[in-house]
Amino acid sequence: MKSKLYFFISLLWLSTLLISCDKEVDGVEELPALRPASTDGDAGGWQMVLLTSPSQITLPAPAATNSVSYQAELAAIKDAQSKLTDAQRATVQYWSAGGTLRWNQILRGLVARFNLPPSPNADGTYPTPDAENPFANPEFPFANPPYSARAYSYVSVAQYDALKAAWFYKSSFNRAAPYTVDSGVKALVPTSDLPAYPSEDAVLSGVTAEMLKILFPAAVEEITLLAADQRNAAIWSGKASYSDVSAGFALGKAVATIFTANSTGVFTIPASAGSSTTTLTLNLATRGRFRTDGMGAAIGTPALWKELQDSVGFGDFYKTNQQPWLSLETPARPPMLPNFGKVAAWLITPAQLVAERPMPPPSTSSEQMARELAEVKSFTENASREQIAIVHKWADGVGTYTPPGHWNDIAAEYIAQANMSEVRAARAFALLNMALHNAGVGCWETKYHYFNPRPSQLDASIKTWTGVPNFPAYTSGHSTFSGAASSVLSYLFPAATSFFEREATEASLSRLYGGIHYRSDCEAGLEHGKQLASYTINFALADGADD
Amino acid sequence: MMPKNDFCTGVLYSHDRWTNYWEGTLKRDNGNIGSVTTQVITWVGNYGITDKLNVIAMLPYVKTEASQGTMQGMDGLQDLTLGVKYQAVSAAVGSGTFRGFVTGMASTPLSNYTPDFLPLSIGLASTNVGGRLTGNYTWENGLYLNVSAGYTWRSNVTLDRPSYFTDGRIYFTNEVQMPNVFDYNADLGYLRNGLQLVVTYQQQNVLGGGDIRRQDMPFVSNRMNFSRVGALVMYYLPFHKNLAVRAMVNQTVAGRNVGESTTLLGGFLYTLHFGAKETKTE
């Protein structure tokens, strides 16, 4: 009997060995402390995207390093460093990886958190997220792929322009870092010759927090706490003084305001019955690009949704046996952001965008469409485990950082390994995300121009390996995003071109394997994305950063 | 418990269906899936190494399906479970008998299915090791009460994607930490003359994990808690006393991140006597 018991115990023990007891998953992207190969001292002269010049915002000169006020700042750093807690040291270490990379991670997390479609009302309608009431159900925003493509681009472009302005003043004033000025100040991060005024960390803190607060207002607490951490880390690490940080923070916020200014100075005071509407008027300059780029109208109106449903807006194309798109959700959901194709692109005019629109898809009544539909069905019915893995690798659907986020994820690894300065890292993300946003706009313009149905609409027996997105099929958004991203990343990291192209092709085909796109959606989208990216790459080739 | 050298084996079929589910703690339905049906065919085996020590094995084949929407159902061989059950205590107490059992279980997926297509994945794909303590009191008249509690350690699982969001934050990894599970159940049964009648109550609590967010998809490490009640009938057929039929119904009465499912189960179990004594008695 005893031996049986031993057998039993040893079996339990053996099976416990199969499972490691430490199964903690921290899931944080580990990043080493930033050690830029170059300080990119000339970045103040690189081409701006939205700012008119690096000195558009005038930054006052800093006090001399031998001034009483600066000496007091040094004393404050030394005092703070003598009392650093473990948590404060961890904050210094976290931000030492570089603010551009860290904020990109944070942004991907925010997108995933807010990427949830509104749930239906009891009567079968859907509520609309409200920027003026972001904490309500549904929370604002619904960070779907177009919304997030635009968000990634605004954050990246504002960071990039702000850092170029910062670099302009850094080389103008040439004030050294506290750890260089005073040997009593410890350098808790790798040292650099980069001038400290204004602090690039504080610039990023100011510009990013301002952009994120309007993009993700319900996350205001987390955003402001992180931004404050970043400014504190700059001081605790010995790389910036109080005045370096204050000037940088103000410059960052000022650059953000050029993007986000939300007022012509007129506020309407609605009338109650029997009285007339009045206004409260200030005298302000123009509103920022963020407010005037057409995003406010992207969601459309019930009248537009009805018009689309009846396919009135589609002219001759829909008079010839062509089936218009229908929502496959229950209850039917209004199509996602039907006017996103009219949102301003980066460095592409609306006329250029229309000119780049792919040729029409095969008619839903054509033989080619019948063949493509059969191909989709065959993929869904005979999917291999590897194909399902590819579908899920690239699904990037509800609750994820979206396809633009996936390409930021890929890019972040290459940017982190390239030892870039903050301003060069910001350039990389700005180029990538301008191209991704343009891909989103161009793709949405195409989708709502042709308004083509999904495979499962034409053949209800097609069951998919991922959710069917609630917008027209032609062209594939994933393919367009991936074509654009792989082109820009290949320009930035030419040695990895074949990898980026392979990933883009895989992402594109994943939508065919998943049963939610025809082959022509994928091929046209991939090509369209590459074509749109050429505008961004042409800007990059002439911006002065490669000289 | 199976007596020494007895081997009980059989095949069970179950049909589980739910329309409403708990999105976190919010009960709702969803027009994009309608009703989710899970059908399972399970092979079971139980062998008596001694009268007090049994080994148990289970292998299910699972098929899922949604009645509405476009999502594919999945099917495949799920997880092999192997267990050892030991009768540690047996004593006359009052007018009946008290028995205490210790059970150890381990399970692991036998196919490379994805756990990342819930609610249509065929399983959660973790490798599990569990322990269970069971107390049984049987009265002379055939009535019995079974109370049992188990703890299951679950290995982390790997997804096909490089990041995911759960429990309030994003994870930049394909590895998901699976919280462990505590469960307990109580059965009141009657066993006499080859007839077994049981009413059951079962409670599972996942010791961690996030909720499904509003209008989000379920996720493999969600806190999938439930309370279930059920009834079971097993009958050893009079014309062939080694063959038993079993039928069961289960209803989820409360839950979190699970479907409000109704499960019907039916099957047969056959006992083979490998022992020497068998040849002389039967």
Side-chain angles (χ1 to χ4, degrees):
Chain A
M1 188 59 250
K2 223 170 189 181
S3 66
K4 299 283 165 53
L5 192 61
Y6 286 142
F7 166 76
F8 167 70
I9 290 168
S10 51
L11 186 85
L12 255 188
W13 182 75
L14 273 174
S15 48
T16 311
L17 280 186
L18 291 172
I19 300 176
S20 161
C21 290
D22 176 22
K23 56 181 191 178
E24 186 73 28
V25 174
D26 71 5
V28 177
E29 230 166 357
E30 297 299 339
L31 292 171
L34 199 61
R35 294 173 192 274
S38 158
T39 56
D40 285 314
D42 64 343
W46 298 353
Q47 181 68 45
M48 286 287 175
V49 178
L50 192 72
L51 265 57
T52 51
S53 83
S55 55
Q56 184 179 347
I57 298 156
T58 307
L59 197 69
T65 51
N66 60 4
S67 65
V68 174
S69 66
Y70 188 76
Q71 289 299 317
E73 292 180 22
L74 292 177
I77 298 171
K78 285 184 261 189
D79 182 53
Q81 287 190 332
S82 71
K83 298 171 185 163
L84 280 187
T85 64
D86 288 348
Q88 288 170 333
R89 284 180 190 279
T91 300
V92 169
Q93 208 216 330
Y94 174 85
W95 287 103
S96 72
T100 313
L101 280 162
R102 284 298 183 205
W103 280 115
N104 186 268
Q105 288 178 344
I106 294 162
L107 175 52
R108 277 179 269 145
L110 287 169
V111 168
R113 173 174 155 195
F114 286 97
N115 182 10
L116 292 175
S119 49
N121 296 317
D123 65 358
T125 62
Y126 289 89
T128 306
D130 180 2
E132 298 289 353
N133 190 10
F135 298 94
N137 176 37
E139 278 189 318
F140 178 89
F142 168 21
N144 51 42
Y147 186 93
S148 62
R150 174 174 171 271
Y152 287 115
S153 77
Y154 269 112
V155 172
S156 301
V157 172
Q159 286 177 334
Y160 181 40
D161 274 8
L163 286 174
K164 280 177 288 188
W167 253 247
F168 172 81
Y169 288 113
K170 279 174 181 288
S171 62
S172 305
F173 298 125
N174 204 24
R175 185 206 252 185
Y179 54 61
T180 307
V181 175
D182 184 339
S183 59
V185 173
K186 282 175 273 184
L188 302 183
V189 292
T191 56
S192 146
D193 294 336
L194 187 68
Y197 181 94
S199 154
E200 68 277 18
D201 301 288
V203 168
L204 282 170
S205 165
V207 70
T208 314
E210 290 307 304
M211 297 307 298
L212 291 182
K213 281 191 283 186
I214 55 167
L215 285 161
F216 302 96
V220 59
E221 182 179 355
E222 167 184 349
I223 293 162
T224 48
L225 287 170
L226 283 164
D229 275 352
Q230 187 184 20
R231 299 194 298 279
N232 286 330
I235 292 176
W236 296 335
S237 69
K239 75 192 276 206
S241 71
Y242 177 80
S243 53
D244 297 330
V245 165
S246 329
F249 190 44
L251 179 61
K253 289 201 287 187
V255 170
T257 304
I258 293 173
F259 285 76
T260 64
N262 187 29
S263 189
T264 54
V266 180
F267 299 88
T268 303
I269 302 171
S272 53
S275 59
S276 56
T277 298
T278 52
T279 54
L280 187 155
T281 307
L282 301 167
N283 192 11
L284 293 180
T286 52
R287 301 169 76 204
R289 185 191 191 281
F290 184 89
R291 308 290 181 174
T292 55
D293 65 1
M295 189 63 183
I299 195 168
T301 59
L304 174 71
W305 301 335
K306 174 86 171 69
E307 190 182 310
L308 290 173
Q309 194 89 353
D310 301 339
S311 66
V312 174
F314 295 95
D316 294 340
F317 189 66
Y318 280 88
K319 289 177 184 156
T320 52
N321 297 324
Q322 174 71 14
Q323 287 189 48
W325 175 87
L326 291 173
S327 172
L328 295 179
E329 291 199 35
T330 307
R333 189 188 287 272
M336 182 185 288
L337 302 183
N339 282 333
F340 189 76
K342 299 191 177 89
V343 168
W346 296 101
L347 313 169
I348 302 182
T349 66
Q352 286 170 325
L353 202 79
V354 169
E356 298 288 2
R357 181 196 303 144
M359 298 302 284
S363 161
T364 52
S365 57
S366 67
E367 269 182 40
Q368 188 189 337
M369 186 54 103
R371 279 198 303 276
E372 293 206 22
L373 193 62
E375 185 186 20
V376 173
K377 184 161 185 177
S378 157
F379 272 118
T380 58
E381 287 179 345
N382 307 307
S384 68
R385 180 66 185 87
E386 288 69 30
Q387 283 167 345
I388 292 172
I390 289 169
V391 175
H392 291 173
K393 171 182 171 185
W394 294 103
D396 297 324
V398 164
T400 71
Y401 51 29
T402 75
H406 198 149
W407 281 103
N408 274 267
D409 195 349
I410 292 169
E413 206 171 305
Y414 282 83
I415 291 168
Q417 284 168 7
N419 298 321
M420 291 181 171
S421 65
E422 288 281 18
V423 68
R424 192 170 284 277
R427 175 176 179 265
F429 279 120
L431 295 174
L432 171 68
N433 286 312
M434 284 195 288
L436 281 166
H437 171 80
N438 293 349
V441 173
C443 178
W444 252 246
E445 200 277 335
T446 306
K447 281 178 181 292
Y448 287 90
H449 183 76
Y450 296 120
F451 214 57
N452 220 37
R454 295 275 171 176
S456 296
Q457 183 188 331
L458 296 184
D459 180 351
S461 73
I462 291 177
K463 297 290 180 185
T464 61
W465 291 110
T466 187
V468 180
N470 193 54
F471 40 84
Y474 186 82
T475 52
S476 150
H478 276 57
S479 304
T480 317
F481 285 129
S482 300
S486 68
S487 292
V488 171
L489 292 178
S490 297
Y491 156 74
L492 288 167
F493 306 101
T497 297
S498 60
F499 168 74
F500 298 133
E501 288 184 348
R502 208 164 53 238
E503 293 289 284
T505 304
E506 187 183 85
S508 175
L509 286 174
S510 76
R511 311 306 272 175
L512 174 60
Y513 300 158
I516 62 173
H517 274 292
Y518 316 97
R519 188 177 285 277
S520 56
D521 300 346
C522 301
E523 290 176 351
L526 201 57
E527 203 45 51
H528 190 206
K530 288 178 185 170
Q531 187 54 34
L532 292 173
S534 65
Y535 290 80
T536 312
I537 294 168
N538 286 340
F539 167 83
L541 289 171
D543 69 355
D546 287 339
D547 299 345
Chain B
M1 296 292 286
M2 283 287 118
K4 182 174 179 178
N5 292 335
D6 273 14
F7 179 56
C8 171
T9 184
V11 174
L12 305 170
Y13 167 80
S14 72
H15 179 279
D16 175 293
R17 189 177 171 92
W18 52 264
T19 304
N20 293 320
Y21 65 103
W22 285 275
E23 186 178 73
T25 53
L26 175 73
K27 193 170 164 184
R28 63 167 293 182
D29 62 2
N30 190 328
N32 298 314
I33 46 175
S35 300
V36 172
T37 301
T38 305
Q39 297 178 83
V40 186
I41 295 173
T42 307
W43 169 81
V44 295
N46 185 353
Y47 179 71
I49 292 177
T50 71
D51 291 349
K52 291 184 173 179
L53 186 71
N54 282 192
V55 291
I56 302 157
M58 272 190 296
L59 184 59
Y61 183 90
V62 180
K63 184 179 192 315
T64 65
E65 186 179 19
S67 68
Q68 283 172 224
T70 67
M71 298 250 284
Q72 277 270 10
M74 293 188 137
D75 65 277
L77 210 53
Q78 199 211 39
D79 307 343
L80 173 68
T81 300
L82 291 175
V84 181
K85 186 175 180 184
Y86 176 66
Q87 182 181 306
V89 181
S90 179
V93 177
S95 64
T97 309
F98 175 79
R99 291 184 188 85
F101 303 91
V102 183
T103 311
M105 297 275 231
S107 72
T108 196
L110 277 201
S111 68
N112 180 25
Y113 65 84
T114 175
D116 200 20
F117 199 55
L118 293 171
L120 296 166
S121 281
I122 61 168
L124 300 182
S126 60
T127 291
N128 303 335
V129 173
R132 172 173 302 281
L133 293 174
T134 306
N136 173 289
Y137 187 83
T138 304
W139 284 269
E140 277 181 333
N141 59 8
L143 209 60
Y144 70 86
L145 179 68
N146 229 15
V147 176
S148 131
Y151 188 91
T152 306
W153 289 265
R154 301 195 294 180
S155 73
N156 293 351
V157 300
T158 306
L159 310 182
D160 295 322
R161 52 180 164 140
S163 92
Y164 58 88
F165 188 99
T166 193
D167 205 9
R169 57 164 283 216
I170 195 165
Y171 289 80
F172 296 110
T173 171
N174 61 357
E175 189 184 356
V176 183
Q177 185 178 338
M178 293 290 282
N180 295 332
V181 180
F182 176 72
D183 75 277
Y184 59 88
N185 60 60
D187 306 337
L188 185 62
Y190 174 80
L191 175 59
R192 177 65 47 109
N193 301 330
L195 178 67
Q196 187 176 12
L197 302 168
V198 193
V199 290
T200 62
Y201 173 82
Q202 188 192 4
Q203 174 71 40
Q204 169 176 301
N205 291 334
V206 176
L207 306 171
D211 281 330
I212 307 173
R213 298 179 294 162
R214 196 81 179 92
Q215 199 69 14
D216 200 358
M217 305 287 279
F219 188 68
V220 61
S221 67
N222 280 151
R223 189 185 288 269
M224 298 179 194
N225 293 352
F226 57 79
S227 312
R228 240 173 232 172
V229 295
L232 178 151
V233 180
M234 189 147 112
Y235 185 55
Y236 288 87
L237 297 174
F239 57 87
H240 196 320
K241 61 183 289 191
N242 290 330
L243 184 66
V245 291
R246 173 186 279 205
M248 193 169 180
V249 58
N250 255 311
Q251 177 64 44
T252 301
V253 291
R256 185 166 168 179
N257 306 303
V258 296
E260 188 189 23
S261 63
T262 303
T263 313
L264 300 172
L265 179 144
F268 70 89
L269 296 162
Y270 191 84
T271 307
L272 296 155
H273 307 280
F274 292 115
K277 64 178 179 182
E278 195 47 42
T279 51
K280 63 188 178 196
T281 53
E282 294 287 314

